[in-house]
Amino acid sequence: MATSTALDHDIYLFHQGNLRYAYQLLGAHFETQNGEEGIRFTVWAPHAVEVNVVGSFNDWDGSQHPMKKVNDNGIWSTFIPNLSTGTVYKYELLTPHGHLQLKADPYAFSSELRPNTASVTYPLHQYDWNDEEWMNQRKETNLYESPLSIYELHLGSWKNIEPEVFYNFREYANMIIPYVKDLGYTHIELLPVNEHPFDRSWGYQATGYYAVTSRYGTPDDFKYFVDQCHQHGIGVILDWVPGHFCKDEQGLRRFGGEPLYEYENPAKAEKTQWGTLTFDFGRNEVQSFLISNAIYWLKEFHLDGLRVDAVASMLYLSFGKEEGEWEPNEYGGPENLEAVAFIRKMNEAVFEEVPNVLMMAEESTSWPLVSAPTYVGGLGFNYKWNMGWMNDMLKYIEMDPIHRKYHHNLITFSLFYAFSENFVLPISHDEVVHGKKSLLNKMPGDYWQKFANLRAFLAFMYAHPGKKLLFMGTEFGQFDEWKDLEDLDFELMDYDSHASIKHYVGQLHQLYREHPALWEFDHQEEGFEWIDANNYEQSIVSFVRNSSCSRDQLVIVCNFTPVVYHDYKVGVPAEGVYEEVFTSDAVHFGGSGQLNGNLLHTSNVPWQGQNQHVSMTIPPLAVSFLKRTSTLEEDMS
């Protein structure tokens, strides 16, 4: 590797933990040296006594292509001429203990199809993007005051050729994009697509952090998927796992014979709950590796955001461990101070390099200011999953309606903290697997009531402050919980109830996207006002969603029992004429058809803290959306 001032500076930044594009320095790169085309291999392996490049091109004989040390901090490099795209390779490392290791390249862009584990050379910049319009528009979008509804999916079980045999990213693009667009989602969120050895880890236990999994194709195939999504107006978010990595021998574990990417102290390194290892967040080179990885996915693949998995497991040394299995920090607390500092550093780097993307934390504790900027003491994400809302609502909606009045606080408590963070309301894969049942099958009651409960739950979710996320299958009422080795039960849509739910989700999204009151002030207190939060006896709540235009205001009334109420008084914030613009009880959604077909004129009699009210029909297990269509004066003229 040629020496230059720029190269020396990159190496310096790498060892300082500040090289944000480390994947351009490390890994396998196509170059021309001394007039010869070939590949430069560069790896960080400070514990290794000797490092060689091996592959089919040299019969896996390490003596043929030894690497040379570039510096005393463990960077090794060599140039091998006449190698091309698709070259299969590994690093052969001689450890201080005299053992030979065969390791995949930590910075490889592609890998062999499992169960094979070698890295594969692949050029980084050959794809011709056609999403300029989307990317320019993204720069101008206010993420917080825009609709955001996410369809979370696992490619291999959305649809497959047969169990463990999958379609290509390009084929998935042609199938998924029209489906998601028809449903009205704004974004797709993919479970991890970096290389992982075990299908049933769903990508959350990785070996190749820079390698697009070969299960679904090449890096360019994945770029095509994202490109096509963007051309059809759909954003793409990727699940990303900087908290831990799996222990498979070809991976990062004991790279060069000693702990390197993981903590040296087993009490900090071991993720006993998952059988994985924690990154050493205090090691500078690991910081360069992870921060560069986040930027790599966002920049090179034009992704619109990362959902950062298991943030709580990074923040707490005690996460998933019993007393005596972890050691407190220097102040005696359970917080991993190095991880906290890393997370802040990572988010600062991401937003400086790739402005206006989504950095979403799946953080399950009450850690404060997760989605606040670092300069005010926050972690620097711009969104946090609202796990409290999710747990409360699922607990509530699974109850028989006769018991719900005793647990009314479960549907109201979230509004005490709804604006403390920028929240996403998630119903993710974790809630419909491992015996938890599908969302539809969580619902109590007979067949009709299950669907009515599901419609009411979804309508309440979309009316509640916060952005939205639903896992695949929910949109048509998957009865079985997520079967990760099989594809979705799309054949259920041959039945009216399931076809009606899919139609309902599409119409709910249309309502959501067309009414700024449902998203413009998601993170501001003025965007929400209770009308009646206290009617626990009838399990009815009503509230207002506001926007910057008062005429866009919506009144939402939710009934979580199967009882119909006629001439039910609901206080409204302004006098005039109200229209029911949406109800989950409509017949074409599978409901009972208890509609408010006539315009609702306000009565000038105070009610529920409002100066006027309307009398309406409250449908069973349903949510009604009312909008003021005219003032009283306009109606009389």
Side-chain angles (χ1 to χ4, degrees):
M1 183 164 58
T3 301
S4 68
T5 303
L7 178 61
D8 291 341
H9 185 60
D10 281 352
I11 292 173
Y12 171 80
L13 290 176
F14 174 72
H15 291 304
Q16 291 297 308
N18 295 318
L19 185 61
R20 295 176 176 179
Y21 295 87
Y23 61 90
Q24 296 177 353
L25 172 69
L26 284 297
H29 295 272
F30 292 83
E31 289 186 359
T32 300
Q33 292 190 16
N34 300 320
E36 287 189 296
E37 293 182 353
I39 297 176
R40 169 179 59 82
F41 296 90
T42 308
V43 66
W44 175 58
H47 297 311
V49 176
E50 180 182 300
V51 184
N52 309 300
V53 184
V54 295
S56 54
F57 55 90
N58 63 10
D59 295 323
W60 301 91
D61 178 3
S63 65
Q64 294 192 36
H65 294 102
M67 303 182 79
K68 295 180 180 179
K69 264 193 175 182
V70 174
N71 64 6
D72 293 332
N73 293 318
I75 292 183
W76 303 72
S77 189
T78 192
F79 176 78
I80 304 178
N82 302 317
L83 296 185
S84 58
T85 298
T87 297
V88 175
Y89 72 101
K90 280 187 176 180
Y91 294 122
E92 181 185 77
L93 299 94
L94 179 64
T95 74
H97 313 291
H99 301 129
L100 281 178
Q101 291 180 330
L102 282 178
K103 290 288 190 180
D105 186 348
Y107 288 84
F109 300 137
S110 185
S111 297
E112 286 187 297
L113 180 63
R114 50 91 176 97
N116 295 327
T117 59
S119 301
V120 178
T121 60
Y122 202 88
L124 191 57
H125 297 127
Q126 68 178 6
Y127 183 80
D128 184 18
W129 289 91
N130 293 287
D131 63 346
E132 184 177 2
E133 182 179 350
W134 171 273
M135 297 297 283
N136 288 334
Q137 177 186 330
R138 192 179 79 181
K139 295 175 185 176
E140 309 300 323
T141 300
N142 184 324
L143 296 172
Y144 309 104
E145 297 179 5
S146 300
L148 179 57
S149 179
I150 303 164
Y151 184 69
E152 185 194 37
L153 69 98
H154 174 251
L155 284 171
S157 56
W158 187 82
K159 188 172 284 188
N160 57 45
I161 298 169
E162 59 183 74
E164 301 183 272
V165 180
F166 309 114
Y167 292 99
N168 182 277
F169 282 115
R170 294 173 187 262
E171 295 171 303
Y172 278 123
N174 296 334
M175 292 185 285
I176 290 171
I177 291 171
Y179 183 83
V180 171
K181 189 171 183 178
D182 179 62
L183 284 164
Y185 286 94
T186 66
H187 288 69
I188 288 169
E189 180 176 317
L190 298 171
L191 272 59
V193 300
N194 47 272
E195 197 56 78
H196 53 283
F198 183 46
D199 287 5
R200 303 200 75 179
S201 80
W202 314 327
Y204 290 101
Q205 296 189 11
T207 48
Y209 269 74
Y210 287 83
V212 174
T213 177
S214 51
R215 287 169 177 81
Y216 311 127
T218 68
D220 281 1
D221 291 333
F222 182 45
K223 290 177 180 179
Y224 175 89
F225 179 93
V226 177
D227 195 3
Q228 287 297 308
C229 285
H230 286 174
Q231 290 182 50
H232 289 86
I234 298 170
V236 183
I237 301 163
L238 183 66
D239 273 14
W240 182 61
V241 191
H244 60 114
F245 58 90
C246 66
K247 296 181 178 180
D248 290 56
E249 283 303 315
Q250 76 273 16
L252 301 176
R253 178 176 178 266
R254 299 184 68 86
F255 200 89
E258 300 289 342
L260 184 64
Y261 286 88
E262 70 270 34
Y263 281 111
E264 188 171 359
N265 180 352
K268 295 177 74 173
E270 292 289 339
K271 282 274 199 305
T272 52
Q273 184 175 352
W274 298 320
T276 55
L277 292 170
T278 306
F279 281 102
D280 183 348
F281 299 112
R283 192 186 289 269
N284 290 340
E285 294 87 352
V286 174
Q287 293 176 19
S288 287
F289 174 82
L290 288 173
I291 291 171
S292 294
N293 190 245
I295 292 169
Y296 165 79
W297 289 108
L298 292 166
K299 291 276 280 192
E300 302 299 338
F301 295 91
H302 289 202
L303 292 171
D304 302 288
L306 298 175
R307 176 268 199 183
V308 183
D309 180 65
V311 172
S313 78
M314 301 167 68
L315 294 174
Y316 293 98
L317 298 164
S318 58
F319 181 88
K321 297 182 178 180
E322 302 294 332
E323 189 172 346
E325 293 181 342
W326 61 278
E327 299 173 5
N329 63 34
E330 59 190 281
Y331 302 107
E335 301 84 7
N336 186 335
L337 303 178
E338 295 167 336
V340 174
F342 163 75
I343 288 170
R344 289 173 173 153
K345 181 177 180 179
M346 171 193 72
N347 282 323
E348 288 172 355
V350 164
F351 287 121
E352 286 175 12
E353 298 296 329
V354 202
N356 227 33
V357 293
L358 298 160
M359 289 295 287
M360 298 176 165
E362 189 244 343
E363 201 285 313
S364 55
T365 74
S366 56
W367 188 284
L369 303 177
V370 171
S371 59
T374 58
Y375 59 78
V376 298
L379 290 182
F381 295 98
N382 54 5
Y383 275 97
K384 174 182 174 174
W385 275 24
N386 193 337
M387 310 295 278
W389 172 89
M390 178 271 295
N391 284 311
D392 285 351
M393 280 305 302
L394 291 182
K395 184 177 180 181
Y396 180 83
I397 206 69
E398 288 184 55
M399 293 177 186
D400 188 300
I402 200 170
H403 300 304
R404 287 175 179 169
K405 66 180 181 180
Y406 304 111
H407 303 275
H408 193 71
N409 62 301
L410 292 174
I411 56 171
T412 59
F413 180 69
S414 59
L415 272 304
F416 283 104
Y417 62 86
F419 309 105
S420 63
E421 301 274 5
N422 301 327
F423 280 122
V424 174
L425 309 183
I427 301 297
S428 75
H429 64 280
D430 280 329
E431 316 320 320
V432 295
V433 73
H434 298 325
K436 296 178 184 177
K437 299 187 289 189
S438 71
L439 189 58
L440 175 64
N441 219 10
K442 293 177 191 287
M443 303 299 166
D446 59 24
Y447 188 81
W448 185 89
Q449 288 181 341
K450 281 183 177 292
F451 282 92
N453 272 299
L454 177 59
R455 291 191 302 271
F457 175 87
L458 293 175
F460 179 76
M461 175 182 179
Y462 275 71
H464 190 288
K467 308 309 183 187
K468 325 299 176 188
L469 178 142
L470 287 172
F471 186 56
M472 64 183 193
T474 303
E475 73 277 4
F476 61 81
Q478 174 97 5
F479 250 123
D480 289 345
E481 69 176 18
W482 178 33
K483 300 167 289 189
D484 60 347
L485 294 180
E486 302 176 32
D487 50 17
L488 294 179
D489 296 331
F490 288 112
E491 63 274 12
L492 286 175
M493 286 186 284
D494 293 338
Y495 299 90
D496 289 345
S497 295
H498 297 274
S500 295
I501 279 288
K502 181 173 181 285
H503 175 59
Y504 173 74
V505 169
Q507 292 299 297
L508 186 60
H509 276 124
Q510 184 174 335
L511 172 84
Y512 172 68
R513 296 178 75 154
E514 290 178 354
H515 289 84
L518 296 177
W519 41 261
E520 188 179 8
F521 290 161
D522 264 332
H523 315 303
Q524 301 174 48
E525 290 187 12
E526 56 265 39
F528 180 93
E529 178 188 350
W530 280 116
I531 296 173
D532 183 11
N534 301 315
N535 186 357
Y536 64 91
E537 282 288 352
Q538 295 172 302
S539 298
I540 294 175
V541 294
S542 52
F543 51 90
V544 179
R545 292 300 307 274
N546 295 313
S547 73
S548 54
C549 176
S550 61
R551 294 296 294 270
D552 291 332
Q553 192 177 61
L554 290 175
V555 172
I556 293 104
V557 186
C558 312
N559 177 15
F560 290 105
T561 71
V563 181
V564 181
Y565 299 95
H566 299 287
D567 298 321
Y568 186 96
K569 294 180 181 179
V570 177
V572 291
E575 67 175 3
V577 181
Y578 285 78
E579 178 185 2
E580 186 176 69
V581 294
F582 188 88
T583 174
S584 66
D585 193 49
V587 173
H588 58 273
F589 298 146
S592 67
Q594 296 292 325
L595 310 181
N596 290 277
N598 296 321
L599 296 176
L600 304 173
H601 295 260
T602 56
S603 297
N604 251 346
V605 177
W607 194 256
Q608 297 172 331
Q610 309 295 323
N611 291 327
Q612 52 281 311
H613 71 272
V614 295
S615 292
M616 62 178 292
T617 294
I618 304 291
L621 293 173
V623 177
S624 301
F625 293 74
L626 309 180
K627 184 175 182 179
R628 188 165 61 110
T629 59
S630 63
T631 64
L632 198 59
E633 291 79 7
E634 288 172 336
D635 187 56
M636 294 173 63
S637 62

